[in-house]
């Protein structure tokens, strides 16, 4: 897909009309396109938006995008942020504009979304043995010489299934051997001997091409800087061995990839140790949560906490809900719940209370539980909160924040909404 067509597809997202499908948007905007609504520059708090409503900070988005661009450039890393954290084509293209090599995805449906919006490089950080999906990918590769997809393999059986599905394909599918993070971890080969066996199985096909090695270091059991770096050195060691034994014949570069959102400092350090190989090395980082960051899980575990001189990511999400019940002095309820707030890792965090245009810290307010459409708030003696107040919440885990909202307003610091992000899950 050429750039003009991709731009048309992105523009079509904002041509979608506001209606009942999109929660939180102003009822009196029904019939307007998202582009027309953005042009109105409505205020998130006074422009008719209804609660609950999830918003992204325009300022913090810009900051996070720029920070990871400079970080990866400084460390000589290519960058394929994990798109499953957002599944928002508008954000994909903003990341590409900030120097990303491509987009990382997890399942074939996500690849279809990315392709429909002109993404030409995809790293599929998962095994792929679905015959129908493989045939579709083969057709995409045949139709578009600029399309590149790299995916995991971790078993001889998987290689056999891929080979059977891809017989007759015009171009081979590029694969990397996935090294598992340890016993009891997720996918990936457990030993170097297993890695060799999988690589040799790939070499025995015409439908696949081995281009590198990869893995996910956040799955290292009892992860610590020492354990993660030791695992990363196993990964890079396999790449070095495979190069010496000629297993990368037929490729133009060697892909070595890792890097979730918790240990990318370790990835940068160890990838810098890779010796000169017979081919150029694409050192591919895949951290994705950075684009929105979060207020609990990744804020606590971000590598920038360990290397503060590199900068700091900023949480960009805030969920606004309204107090609908205050049945006792120590309890309140707002009208957001499991359908609206990420809760799979940590509960939302009350941050601010708005009343009559004034915003104050949410002192003495704690989320204790979620129902389908209520957050349960414990309110201490210092809590100043009344029925009708808007309460702003920080969230944990971008993946399950984005997947609950089809349209997300992007607001400047004064509340002016300047854009609307469409998501696909």
């Amino acid at each position: 897909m050429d750039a003009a067509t991709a731009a048309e597809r992105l523009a079509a997202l904002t041509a979608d009309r506001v209606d009942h499908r999109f929660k939180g948007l102003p009822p009196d905007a029904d019939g307007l396109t998202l582009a027309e609504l953005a042009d109105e520059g409505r205020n998130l708090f006074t422009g008719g938006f209804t609660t609950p409503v999830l918003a992204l900070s325009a300022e913090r988005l810009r900051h996070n995008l720029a920070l990871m661009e400079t970080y990866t450039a400084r460390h000589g890393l290519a960058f394929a942020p994990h798109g499953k954290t957002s599944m928002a084509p508008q954000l994909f293209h903003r990341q590409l504009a900030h120097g990303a090599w491509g987009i990382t995805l997890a399942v074939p449906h996500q690849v279809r979304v990315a392709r429909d919006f002109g993404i030409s490089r995809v790293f599929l950080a998962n095994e792929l043995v679905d015959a129908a999906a493989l045939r579709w990918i083969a057709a995409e590769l045949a139709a578009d010489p600029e399309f590149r997809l790299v995916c995991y393999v971790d078993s001889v059986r998987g290689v056999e299934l891929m080979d059977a599905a891809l017989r007759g394909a015009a171009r081979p599918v590029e694969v990397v051997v996935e090294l598992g993070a340890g016993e009891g971890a997720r996918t990936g080969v457990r030993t170097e001997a297993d890695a060799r066996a999988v690589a040799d199985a790939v070499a025995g096909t015409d439908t696949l091409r081995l281009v590198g090695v990869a893995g996910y270091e956040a799955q290292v059991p009892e992860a610590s800087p020492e354990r993660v770096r030791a695992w990363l050195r196993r990964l890079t060691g396999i790449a070095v061995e495979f190069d010496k034994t000629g297993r990368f014949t037929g490729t133009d570069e060697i892909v070595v990839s890792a890097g979730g959102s918790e240990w990318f400092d370790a990835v940068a350090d160890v990838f810098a140790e890779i010796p000169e190989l017979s081919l150029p090395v694409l050192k591919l980082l895949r951290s994705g949560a950075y684009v929105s960051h979060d207020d609990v899980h990744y804020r606590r575990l971000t590598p920038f906490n360990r290397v503060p001189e590199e900068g700091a990511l900023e949480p960009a999400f805030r969920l606004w809900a309204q107090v609908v019940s205050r049945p006792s002095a120590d309890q309140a309820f707002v009208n957001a719940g499991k359908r609206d707030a990420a809760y799979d890792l940590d509960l939302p965090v009350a941050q601010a209370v708005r009343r009559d245009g004034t915003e104050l810290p949410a002192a003495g307010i704690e989320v204790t539980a979620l129902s389908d459409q209520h957050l349960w708030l414990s309110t201490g003696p210092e809590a100043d909160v009344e029925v009708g107040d808007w309460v702003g919440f920080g969230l944990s885990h971008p993946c399950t924040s984005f997947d609950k909202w089809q349209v997300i307003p992007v607001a400047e610091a004064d509340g002016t909404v300047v854009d609307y992000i469409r998501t696909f899950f």
Side-chain angles (χ1 to χ4, degrees):
M1 181 183 297
D2 59 31
T5 304
E8 289 174 1
R9 294 279 175 85
L10 288 172
L13 291 178
T14 60
D16 215 341
R17 295 198 177 274
V18 176
D19 59 23
H20 64 275
R21 293 171 296 164
F22 306 134
K23 59 187 179 180
L25 300 190
D28 67 355
D30 277 10
L32 295 178
T33 67
L34 291 172
E36 290 168 343
L37 185 56
D39 287 342
E40 289 187 356
R42 295 198 188 194
N43 189 279
L44 186 69
F45 307 110
T46 62
F49 291 85
T50 63
T51 55
V53 60
L54 180 68
L56 277 164
S57 162
E59 178 184 16
R60 292 183 172 196
L61 273 178
R62 290 191 294 266
H63 169 84
N64 292 343
L65 288 164
L67 180 63
M68 284 302 287
E69 178 182 21
T70 58
Y71 179 86
T72 53
R74 185 160 56 245
H75 290 279
L77 300 170
F79 190 34
H82 213 315
K84 77 178 181 69
T85 60
S86 63
M87 281 308 296
Q90 292 146 293
L91 295 181
F92 292 173
H93 280 274
R94 288 186 67 173
Q95 290 168 312
L96 293 172
H98 279 273
W101 171 90
I103 300 296
T104 296
L105 298 165
V107 291
H109 163 70
Q110 295 170 354
V111 182
R112 291 186 63 192
V113 173
R115 289 296 293 156
D116 212 40
F117 288 93
I119 303 303
S120 60
R121 289 176 178 166
V122 170
F123 188 97
L124 186 64
N126 206 348
E127 281 66 28
L128 178 57
V129 295
D130 184 304
L134 284 162
R135 288 193 293 269
W136 173 79
I137 285 171
E140 287 289 296
L141 290 168
D144 184 357
E146 300 301 314
F147 177 41
R148 184 178 185 190
L149 180 138
V150 178
C151 74
Y152 283 173
V153 288
D154 75 348
S155 68
V156 172
R157 171 64 173 162
V159 170
E160 292 170 348
L161 290 171
M162 294 181 77
D163 182 48
L166 292 167
R167 296 281 170 82
R171 291 170 57 191
V173 171
E174 295 182 307
V175 297
V176 290
V177 173
E178 182 194 9
L179 176 65
E183 291 302 323
R186 208 161 61 186
T187 54
V189 298
R190 296 318 198 225
T191 68
E192 281 73 2
D194 290 339
R196 296 182 199 108
V198 173
D200 291 344
V202 171
T205 75
D206 295 322
T207 58
L208 304 176
R209 176 181 296 145
L210 183 68
V211 298
V213 296
Y216 180 48
E217 73 289 339
Q219 287 284 310
V220 170
E222 300 178 6
S224 66
E226 296 74 24
R227 283 176 172 270
V228 169
R229 282 176 169 80
W231 177 84
L232 285 164
R233 291 188 177 103
R234 284 185 63 201
L235 181 73
T236 58
I238 292 171
V240 171
E241 177 195 325
F242 280 10
D243 184 49
K244 287 181 178 178
T245 53
R247 286 187 166 94
F248 294 131
T249 301
T251 188
D252 296 325
E253 65 181 1
I254 298 168
V255 178
V256 183
S257 180
S261 295
E262 299 176 22
W263 294 101
F264 55 74
D265 56 329
V267 173
D269 291 345
V270 174
F271 280 13
E273 301 170 358
I274 297 174
E276 184 174 350
L277 302 182
S278 65
L279 295 167
V281 178
L282 183 73
K283 302 173 183 179
L284 193 61
L285 185 71
R286 304 195 306 272
S287 312
Y290 84 99
V291 68
S292 62
H293 200 40
D294 75 4
D295 277 283
V296 187
H297 182 77
Y298 288 113
R299 190 172 198 171
R300 181 174 65 242
L301 297 173
T302 176
F304 289 122
N305 289 340
R306 294 186 290 272
V307 282
E309 64 273 16
E310 297 272 19
L313 295 168
E314 297 178 353
F317 270 132
R318 184 168 280 183
L319 175 67
W320 289 97
Q322 195 166 28
V323 179
V324 293
S325 180
R326 186 82 157 97
S328 66
D330 60 0
Q331 198 173 35
F333 293 86
V334 297
N335 63 345
K338 293 178 180 178
R339 294 184 175 93
D340 314 298
Y343 62 92
D344 58 318
L345 294 181
D346 300 279
L347 293 176
V349 178
Q351 296 178 327
V353 175
R354 288 188 65 91
R355 183 189 305 150
D356 299 328
T358 299
E359 185 173 313
L360 297 171
I365 301 174
E366 180 182 1
V367 178
T368 58
L370 293 88
S371 297
D372 288 346
Q373 209 60 64
H374 292 96
L375 296 184
W376 296 54
L377 307 184
S378 171
T379 54
E382 69 274 36
D384 180 11
V385 62
E386 299 176 356
V387 170
D389 291 348
W390 282 35
V391 182
F393 298 90
L395 301 174
S396 179
H397 202 184
C399 292
T400 50
S401 296
F402 277 103
D403 71 5
K404 296 177 185 297
W405 295 82
Q406 292 184 61
V407 172
I408 303 173
V410 180
E412 296 288 358
D414 65 357
T416 302
V417 176
V418 294
D419 199 3
Y420 293 88
I421 299 296
R422 286 284 276 116
T423 65
F424 296 84
F425 260 92

